[in-house]
C-alpha cells in the first residue's frame, strides 16, 4: 500500500494539473512496486514558505535524512520566493 506525501509552497492548481500529477505519480509507483493503482494513496499539502523550515525541512529532511533518496539542492535558510526554486 504505497502512500505518497507531497508538500509544497502554496499555489493554485487546475483540475488538469492535479489529474496529471496524480496520474504520473500513480503510474510510477505502480510500475516500481508492482501494485495495482487502487492501492496507491496520494496526499498533497500546501505549506506556507515562512513555516517550511519548522514543518518540513527540520522534521522531514534533517531528522529523517536517512530516508531521503533525493536531497534538495538548496541550503538553509530556505530560498525566498521568486528565486526560481518552487
Amino acid at each position: 500500500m504505497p502512500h505518497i506525501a507531497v508538500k509544497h509552497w502554496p499555489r493554485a492548481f487546475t483540475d488538469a494539473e492535479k489529474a496529471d500529477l496524480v496520474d504520473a505519480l500513480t503510474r510510477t509507483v505502480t510500475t516500481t512496486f508492482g501494485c495495482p493503482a487502487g492501492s496507491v494513496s496520494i496526499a498533497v499539502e500546501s505549506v506556507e514558505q515562512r513555516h517550511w523550515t519548522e514543518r518540513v525541512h527540520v522534521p522531514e529532511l534533517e531528522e529523517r535524512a536517512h530516508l531521503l533518496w533525493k536531497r534538495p539542492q538548496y541550503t538553509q535558510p530556505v530560498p525566498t520566493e521568486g528565486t526560481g526554486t518552487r
Side-chain angles (χ1 to χ4, degrees):
M1 302 297 177
H3 173 69
I4 299 168
V6 177
K7 295 183 177 158
H8 64 91
W9 285 357
R11 65 161 288 216
F13 289 94
T14 66
D15 288 342
E17 288 173 323
K18 290 176 189 177
D20 287 346
L21 179 61
V22 167
D23 289 345
L25 292 173
T26 301
R27 244 188 341 271
T28 299
V29 168
T30 56
T31 299
T32 302
F33 286 90
C35 63
S39 69
V40 177
S41 58
I42 301 171
V44 178
E45 179 183 354
S46 173
V47 178
E48 290 289 336
Q49 178 185 347
R50 69 182 181 272
H51 298 298
W52 188 262
T53 298
E54 69 185 68
R55 294 186 185 167
V56 178
H57 190 88
V58 171
E60 297 193 28
L61 305 180
E62 288 181 16
E63 293 176 2
R64 299 179 70 167
H66 64 286
L67 298 176
L68 292 177
W69 286 19
K70 181 183 181 307
R71 297 178 188 278
Q73 295 181 354
Y74 64 79
T75 57
Q76 288 298 91
V78 175
T80 58
E81 290 182 77
T83 61
T85 54
R86 271 191 193 212

